[in-house]
């Protein structure tokens, strides 16, 4: 059965960078059986209703500005999968989760920056899914749980976001992680490895420096979605963690 993953996508320029995390992303795909399809929740696609892409071939969305010119030439023309899109809608309906489809939206950088490093040939069908910041943390988890059975059909489920993501607290000259960012991530690691959902659902109140680490929750939500997809076995493994600019967390969690 395929694992589910949470990947931090960092800055849009991640796809052009070369460091330990990008090397890790390139390597992990080589060590994982090639999936038949990918289902990806991106922090950069928000909607009040759970939305499921049903696109024939994706365009590339450049949802950022001020980066190097080369970044605006990157494309990721993956195909969609109409049958899988319908299957996901059926699963959501089965679990009482309202959903709708989108037939036009391309892939934002939360999706393509990670996928380009994992599977550069764009030869695996992709279904993009939105996130909703106004749901409870338990509801987020249950959305991931609703699609978990796809893993048995060799479908890879990915949440793309960031555990510590506060652009106002970036330290452009930092050579190591800020203590507050590391403290939040360590608390998170302890709770994930224990599969302590009660604490995780209340992380805003319980985790040290939660307000600094997660000033807005859209980047944190994909972690809960990917975790929910691993509910059957409840095994969490930290595969990588590093930092850029003192506090921008670059991490990967695997849920088996």
């Amino acid at each position: 059965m395929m694992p589910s993953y949470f990947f931090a996508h960092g800055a849009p320029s991640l796809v052009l960078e070369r460091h330990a995390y990008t090397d890790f992303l390139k390597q992990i795909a080589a060590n994982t059986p090639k999936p038949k399809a990918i289902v990806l929740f991106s922090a950069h696609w928000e909607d009040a209703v759970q939305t499921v892409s049903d696109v024939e071939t994706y365009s590339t969305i450049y949802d950022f500005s001020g980066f190097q010119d080369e970044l605006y030439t990157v494309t990721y023309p993956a195909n969609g999968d109409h049958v899988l899109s319908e299957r996901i809608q059926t699963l959501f309906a089965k679990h009482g989760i309202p959903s709708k489809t989108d037939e036009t939206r391309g892939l934002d950088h939360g999706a393509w920056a990670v996928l380009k490093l994992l599977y550069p040939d764009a030869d695996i069908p992709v279904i993009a899914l939105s996130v909703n910041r106004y749901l409870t943390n338990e509801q987020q988890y249950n959305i991931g749980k609703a699609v978990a059975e796809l893993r048995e059909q060799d479908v890879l489920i990915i949440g793309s976001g960031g555990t510590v993501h506060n652009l106002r607290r970036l330290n452009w000259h930092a050579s190591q992680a800020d203590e507050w960012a590391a403290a939040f991530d360590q608390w998170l690691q302890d709770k994930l490895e224990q599969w302590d959902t009660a604490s995780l659902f209340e992380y805003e109140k319980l985790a040290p420096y939660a307000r600094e680490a997660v000033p807005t929750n859209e980047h944190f939500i994909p972690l809960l979605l990917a975790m929910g997809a691993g509910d059957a076995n409840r095994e969490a493994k930290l595969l990588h963690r590093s930092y850029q600019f003192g506090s921008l967390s670059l991490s990967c969690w695997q849920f088996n």
Side-chain angles (χ1 to χ4, degrees), residues 47-107:
D47 203 302
V49 177
Q50 180 62 61
T51 309
V52 182
S53 67
D54 191 2
V55 174
E56 184 174 350
T57 302
Y58 288 96
S59 60
T60 304
I61 302 173
Y62 305 103
D63 50 338
F64 47 82
S65 61
F67 287 86
Q68 53 267 61
D69 292 344
E70 183 183 358
L71 199 56
Y72 299 90
T73 67
V74 176
T75 61
Y76 198 80
N79 291 330
D81 184 326
H82 178 70
V83 173
L84 180 56
S85 180
E86 289 189 330
R87 174 64 178 149
I88 292 170
Q89 293 172 68
T90 299
L91 289 174
F92 283 147
K94 176 182 175 182
H95 288 83
I97 300 167
S99 67
K100 62 180 181 178
T101 59
D102 183 288
E103 293 81 25
T104 61
R105 190 178 191 276
L107 295 176

Side-chain angles (χ1 to χ4, degrees), residues 67-184:
F67 287 86
Q68 53 267 61
D69 292 344
E70 183 183 358
L71 199 56
Y72 299 90
T73 67
V74 176
T75 61
Y76 198 80
N79 291 330
D81 184 326
H82 178 70
V83 173
L84 180 56
S85 180
E86 289 189 330
R87 174 64 178 149
I88 292 170
Q89 293 172 68
T90 299
L91 289 174
F92 283 147
K94 176 182 175 182
H95 288 83
I97 300 167
S99 67
K100 62 180 181 178
T101 59
D102 183 288
E103 293 81 25
T104 61
R105 190 178 191 276
L107 295 176
D108 58 64
H109 81 268
W112 60 256
V114 170
L115 292 176
K116 188 77 170 180
L117 292 168
L118 291 171
Y119 302 105
D121 295 333
D123 58 350
I124 302 171
V126 174
I127 302 295
L129 299 177
S130 67
V131 302
N132 180 358
R133 71 169 71 194
Y134 299 106
L135 301 179
T136 68
N137 293 323
E138 185 173 6
Q139 287 174 312
Q140 310 289 3
Y141 182 93
N142 287 334
I143 288 172
K145 188 176 177 180
V147 296
E149 68 181 65
L150 296 175
R151 297 171 52 204
E152 300 172 7
Q153 301 160 28
D154 295 328
V155 174
L156 180 63
I157 298 174
I158 294 174
S160 175
T163 56
V164 181
H165 190 274
N166 188 337
L167 301 184
R168 294 187 177 185
R169 295 294 301 270
L170 297 183
N171 179 352
W172 302 101
H173 306 291
S175 59
Q176 60 186 14
D178 292 339
E179 289 185 9
W180 63 269
F184 177 83

Side-chain angles (χ1 to χ4, degrees), residues 3-7 39-45 50-51 92 97 129-133 135-148 151 157-161 192 195 201 217-231 253 255:
S4 60
Y5 288 105
F6 169 80
F7 292 111
V39 171
L40 188 145
F41 295 91
S42 172
H44 290 275
W45 186 11
Q50 180 62 61
T51 309
F92 283 147
I97 300 167
L129 299 177
S130 67
V131 302
N132 180 358
R133 71 169 71 194
L135 301 179
T136 68
N137 293 323
E138 185 173 6
Q139 287 174 312
Q140 310 289 3
Y141 182 93
N142 287 334
I143 288 172
K145 188 176 177 180
V147 296
R151 297 171 52 204
I157 298 174
I158 294 174
S160 175
L192 286 168
W195 213 274
F201 294 163
N217 68 342
E218 75 283 350
H219 277 77
F220 192 85
I221 290 167
L223 175 69
L224 297 172
L225 295 163
M227 185 186 187
D231 180 79
W253 280 92
F255 303 103

